[in-house]
Amino acid sequence: MDWNVELLIIIAIALILFTVFLSFFPIMLWISALASGVRISIITLVAMRLRRVIPSRIVNPLIKATKAGLGLSINQLESHFLAGGNVDRVVNALIAAQRANIPLVFERAAAIDLAGRDVLQAVQMSVNPRVIETPVVSAVAKDGIEVKVKARVTVRANIDRLVGGAGEETIIARVGEGIVSTNGSANSHKDVLENPDLISRTVLAKGLDAGTAFEILSIDIMDVDIGKNIGANLQTEQAEADKRIAQAKAEERRAMAVAQEQEMKARVVEMRAKVVEAESEVPLAMAEALKGGNLGVMDYMNLKNIEADTQMRGSIGKSDPARGDGKEG
């Protein structure tokens, strides 16, 4: 019975030691590499473990690369893995580029991968171009009519400009700019409706793919619609604004006229007050003249008779409508 327990303990220890041995010495991976024609030593695999590199992440892509005839070395793949790259994706991209006769070296593919772009998708896009739909772009022709345009842009990845090149957002923005420029330079919106290919030709002639990671193959107009009459709306708003300005100026002139009228009324009242003041001094002057002997009593009586006669004539002239001018008809 004791022998059986000891045997089980020995077997368990042996299994643990064998598992630890396989973790540091990936025998099956080494055998798979040798069977695929990849010359790699078991010591190299152990050294990968010590450098905290997963051997399968290096050996399996190396097997694919060797079978494809790429001629990659284990040091290239391991250095790219240590730099934080995706070794398997880079190898797949190189194989796809080789099959499609696209010139792509490992250094360029590794740089694209480390730049954060999907190098495999870029190679696939070089073979199979991608279609990008722009949002509805509104522009106003010279006749003031709004034109709404939606386009499809067929692009192909440019491998040489993937590192540092602008993305899809830049392509969409530049195409929208070209659409606005083309519609804005058209004399009439009818020209755009009759020749929508004018937009495509103008946009393509501008070379909008410069500095981007793509190459524009074609620009196709999906839809062209007529929007609002922007010119008429602007003229209406301008006329309304001019009307309000004219009304404000007229109100300002009216207020000035009212103020001037009130000022004139005040001046009239002031003048009347001066007249009343002057008239109040007449009796005093006459009294002084009587006292000084400069005015006789008969002269004073004649003056009163003249004033009474004048008042009577004025009353008669106001009460007789037939004597409008003071003379008999």
Side-chain angles (χ1 to χ4, degrees):
M1 188 69 178
D2 295 336
W3 288 99
N4 293 332
V5 174
E6 292 178 357
L7 180 62
L8 292 175
I9 294 174
I10 293 173
I11 293 174
I13 294 174
L15 289 176
I16 293 173
L17 293 176
F18 183 73
T19 303
V20 173
F21 176 80
L22 290 180
S23 62
F24 280 94
F25 298 90
I27 302 298
M28 298 304 299
L29 186 62
W30 175 68
I31 295 173
S32 176
L34 291 178
S36 302
V38 177
R39 299 297 179 180
I40 185 172
S41 64
I42 190 68
I43 303 300
T44 302
L45 297 178
V46 174
M48 288 183 186
R49 290 288 190 187
L50 297 177
R51 289 191 293 267
R52 295 183 180 181
V53 177
I54 302 174
S56 60
R57 298 282 183 89
I58 304 299
V59 175
N60 290 331
L62 184 60
I63 292 174
K64 289 192 293 184
T66 303
K67 289 297 182 180
L70 297 180
L72 300 179
S73 66
I74 192 169
N75 290 329
Q76 288 177 311
L77 301 183
E78 189 174 356
S79 63
H80 185 63
F81 179 84
L82 291 174
N86 192 322
V87 177
D88 191 64
R89 186 165 55 193
V90 170
V91 171
N92 290 336
L94 291 172
I95 295 174
Q98 183 190 46
R99 297 294 185 268
N101 294 323
I102 298 175
L104 180 63
V105 297
F106 176 79
E107 287 75 13
R108 171 66 65 178
I112 294 172
D113 183 62
L114 292 177
R117 296 185 181 273
D118 193 337
V119 61
L120 179 59
Q121 183 181 6
V123 173
Q124 293 173 348
M125 192 182 298
S126 298
V127 178
N128 185 19
R130 183 177 177 180
V131 178
I132 303 175
E133 290 189 3
T134 65
V136 178
V137 180
S138 299
V140 181
K142 290 183 179 180
D143 58 355
I145 304 299
E146 180 186 19
V147 181
K148 298 180 179 180
V149 180
K150 189 175 184 181
R152 283 182 177 177
V153 185
T154 304
V155 297
R156 179 172 59 195
N158 192 328
I159 301 297
D160 296 333
R161 294 203 300 255
L162 277 177
V163 178
E168 296 181 9
E169 293 80 6
T170 302
I171 292 291
I172 295 175
R174 290 183 178 180
V175 171
E177 178 185 354
I179 292 174
V180 172
S181 176
T182 304
N183 291 342
S185 60
N187 292 325
S188 174
H189 69 284
K190 296 180 181 178
D191 298 336
V192 181
L193 295 177
E194 292 175 357
N195 301 299
D197 59 329
L198 179 64
I199 300 175
S200 303
R201 294 198 303 268
T202 304
V203 174
L204 287 175
K206 289 180 177 294
L208 301 180
D209 54 359
T212 65
F214 303 96
E215 177 185 355
I216 297 178
L217 301 179
S218 66
I219 298 177
D220 304 310
I221 305 302
M222 293 177 56
D223 189 18
V224 180
D225 292 330
I226 300 299
K228 300 178 181 179
N229 191 337
I230 303 297
N233 292 340
L234 291 176
Q235 291 177 358
T236 302
E237 293 177 359
Q238 184 63 42
E240 184 66 23
D242 294 341
K243 176 184 175 183
R244 292 177 181 175
I245 293 174
Q247 289 177 346
K249 291 183 177 180
E251 182 64 23
E252 182 181 0
R253 290 194 298 269
R254 189 191 68 81
M256 292 179 62
V258 171
Q260 188 175 7
E261 180 184 1
Q262 296 298 325
E263 183 179 356
M264 295 302 295
K265 289 181 178 180
R267 292 182 63 184
V268 169
V269 172
E270 182 182 359
M271 296 303 293
R272 286 179 179 175
K274 291 181 178 180
V275 170
V276 171
E277 183 180 0
E279 289 179 351
S280 65
E281 294 179 356
V282 172
L284 297 176
M286 293 180 67
E288 291 293 335
L290 288 173
K291 289 180 181 181
N294 296 324
L295 180 66
V297 178
M298 295 304 297
D299 295 331
Y300 177 74
M301 296 302 296
N302 290 333
L303 179 61
K304 287 296 183 179
N305 291 331
I306 293 173
E307 289 180 357
D309 185 63
T310 302
Q311 293 178 359
M312 181 182 66
R313 290 178 179 273
S315 299
I316 294 173
K318 292 180 180 180
S319 63
D320 190 358
R323 297 173 58 88
D325 54 357
K327 297 181 181 180
E328 294 182 359

Coordinates of all heavy atoms in Angstrom, one line a residue, residues 32 48 65 72 144 238:
S32 N 7.2 20.9 -35.1 CA 6.4 21.4 -36.2 C 7.2 22.3 -37.1 O 7.0 22.3 -38.3 CB 5.2 22.2 -35.6 OG 4.4 22.8 -36.6
M48 N 13.7 32.7 -26.2 CA 12.5 33.5 -26.4 C 11.7 33.6 -25.1 O 11.1 34.6 -24.7 CB 11.6 32.9 -27.5 CG 12.1 33.1 -28.9 SD 11.0 32.5 -30.1 CE 11.9 32.7 -31.6
A65 N 5.4 32.3 -43.5 CA 6.3 33.1 -44.4 C 7.3 32.2 -45.2 O 7.6 32.4 -46.4 CB 7.1 34.1 -43.6
L72 N 11.8 35.5 -44.7 CA 12.0 36.3 -43.5 C 12.8 35.6 -42.4 O 12.8 34.4 -42.4 CB 10.6 36.7 -42.9 CG 9.7 37.5 -43.8 CD1 8.3 37.7 -43.0 CD2 10.3 38.8 -44.1
G144 N -28.5 81.8 -56.9 CA -29.1 81.9 -55.5 C -29.9 80.6 -55.2 O -30.5 80.5 -54.1
Q238 N -32.9 91.1 -46.5 CA -32.3 92.4 -46.7 C -33.3 93.5 -46.8 O -33.2 94.6 -46.3 CB -31.4 92.4 -47.9 CG -30.5 93.7 -48.1 CD -29.6 93.9 -47.0 OE1 -29.0 93.0 -46.5 NE2 -29.5 95.2 -46.5

